[in-house]
Amino acid sequence: MIRKVGLVVVGLMLFALAMTSWAGEGCSGCPGEKAAGCAEKASDTKATTTIADGNVYTLADGTKRFICPVMQSQMDVKDAPFHVDFEGKRYYLCCDGCPDKFKAEPKKFIDALAIPANIVKMADKKAVAVCPVTKEEVTVSRKAEHVDLNGKRYYFANKDAVAKFNAEPEKFIKAMEAPKDAGKKI
């Protein structure tokens, strides 16, 4: 009798273990390991491994934002409703219509993506960039002067600044990336 009870207990434990591993790891109905390119609600993500962000930029205050590769909308990563992991990078998406479109042609959307390089803050729900040439603040809009270079988008105060940047882009990019306190005496 004790032997039968022991076998039943062991059997139930194995069954419970199998069910929790099957139900707990998948997303969108995918049991076990997540399928490649599987879309998840961003809030359901469990941090088990580090994956690079594919469409994220960081404001001066540390806030992480993303540009949706499908709709080109921008929002805070913490508010991202969906994401798709593709080729070792996580791409955040703005709405439930985007994951299927992105998964159908990820290279098309990634190749067209330009991550903002010089946006520093949000003001009245509008992105604000600092022109790499004039150092003026620029409100980002569809009409704002910009240059796309090596997968990044740089915003400018005016057309003259664009011309100066295009003549020596490396100079201005290097100046943007230099630490703020470089050259100061202590």
Side-chain angles (χ1 to χ4, degrees):
M1 174 89 171
I2 295 174
R3 189 174 191 187
K4 285 183 182 179
V5 171
L7 288 175
V8 170
V9 170
V10 169
L12 287 173
M13 288 173 58
L14 289 173
F15 177 75
L17 180 63
M19 290 307 294
T20 56
S21 66
W22 177 80
E25 293 295 319
C27 66
S28 303
C30 308
E33 290 293 316
K34 292 174 180 63
C38 188
E40 293 182 358
K41 287 192 175 192
S43 61
D44 294 342
T45 305
K46 295 177 186 172
T48 54
T49 59
T50 303
I51 187 164
D53 291 322
N55 59 335
V56 174
Y57 62 96
T58 305
L59 301 178
D61 68 1
T63 302
K64 289 186 174 233
R65 294 188 49 85
F66 73 93
I67 182 164
C68 178
V70 178
M71 301 299 292
Q72 300 298 304
S73 59
Q74 297 182 36
M75 54 195 303
D76 288 354
V77 169
K78 67 178 177 57
D79 298 328
F82 297 93
H83 70 262
V84 172
D85 293 342
F86 179 75
E87 294 186 351
K89 292 187 178 177
R90 175 157 292 162
Y91 294 89
Y92 294 94
L93 304 159
C94 68
C95 64
D96 62 357
C98 291
D100 289 339
K101 290 177 183 175
F102 182 81
K103 288 192 297 184
E105 299 180 276
K107 295 267 190 211
K108 169 187 154 186
F109 292 111
I110 293 167
D111 290 346
L113 189 61
I115 305 299
N118 58 328
I119 293 178
V120 294
K121 66 183 179 180
M122 298 297 294
D124 297 322
K125 297 185 180 182
K126 293 183 181 179
V128 177
V130 173
C131 176
V133 177
T134 67
K135 306 298 185 224
E136 296 173 61
E137 287 192 352
V138 180
T139 301
V140 175
S141 71
R142 293 185 191 267
K143 295 180 181 180
E145 296 292 333
H146 67 272
V147 170
D148 291 341
L149 182 67
N150 299 326
K152 293 187 177 181
R153 176 164 288 174
Y154 299 88
Y155 293 94
F156 298 89
N158 53 51
K159 289 182 180 181
D160 289 338
V162 170
K164 287 179 182 176
F165 179 86
N166 283 335
E168 305 179 86
E170 296 84 15
K171 169 186 165 185
F172 294 105
I173 292 169
K174 190 173 183 178
M176 284 175 46
E177 295 170 350
K180 302 280 187 248
D181 60 349
K184 290 184 180 178
K185 293 190 177 187
I186 301 176

